[in-house]
Amino acid sequence: MYFAIMKITFMIDDDLPGVAGPRSKQDLHALVEKLRARFRIAVLPGQLSGPGEPPVIAISSLAHSEESLARQLDSICEFCESSGFGRIDTERTLMDHVDSFSDDDDEGEDDDSFDRSH
């Protein structure tokens, strides 16, 4: 099973074609809800703290294969661009297999012990 975490930053230049006027928190939350409903993913909106701050969303998803996860992420980006919210400026993605978190990091520790200091 593969997982992905993606950060999408939208453009803030209102003079670009396809970019509507200033976006509000309600617009960002509406996009987040549409993404959740359509793609069954976890989505978290970034804070819109000021007029110069670009809108940002963070997405996480799981899939059985790397290819299907990559297709889903591409579809999410296409949906964001066609939603009317705005054009994507940057997207950063971390994708890996869940088995990359192996138990090899715990070598030398007794599995029956429990460290209560954490």
Side-chain angles (χ1 to χ4, degrees):
M1 179 157 304
Y2 288 84
F3 70 92
I5 301 170
M6 182 166 62
K7 177 182 176 182
I8 297 176
T9 305
F10 293 91
M11 290 183 175
I12 57 173
D13 189 354
D14 294 333
D15 295 332
L16 291 173
V19 178
R23 287 154 311 263
S24 67
K25 289 182 183 182
Q26 291 84 8
D27 295 336
L28 186 59
H29 286 284
L31 175 63
V32 165
E33 290 306 317
K34 288 177 188 176
L35 288 167
R36 285 181 182 148
R38 183 173 182 131
F39 295 102
R40 296 181 50 197
I41 55 175
V43 186
L44 183 65
Q47 298 294 324
L48 287 176
S49 56
E53 285 290 317
V56 175
I57 58 174
I59 296 170
S60 64
S61 184
L62 294 170
H64 289 289
S65 72
E66 187 174 4
E67 295 82 20
S68 64
L69 189 55
R71 280 194 307 270
Q72 182 187 45
L73 296 176
D74 289 342
S75 296
I76 289 168
C77 289
E78 288 176 22
F79 181 82
C80 287
E81 292 240 330
S82 66
S83 70
F85 184 78
R87 295 186 57 203
I88 294 176
D89 184 26
T90 61
E91 61 180 79
R92 298 181 65 192
T93 304
L94 168 67
M95 187 183 309
D96 208 344
H97 194 276
V98 294
D99 288 343
S100 66
F101 298 107
S102 68
D103 292 333
D104 295 340
D105 297 336
D106 298 332
E107 279 185 24
E109 292 183 16
D110 184 8
D111 289 337
D112 295 331
S113 67
F114 180 73
D115 184 5
R116 295 184 186 270
S117 63
H118 297 297

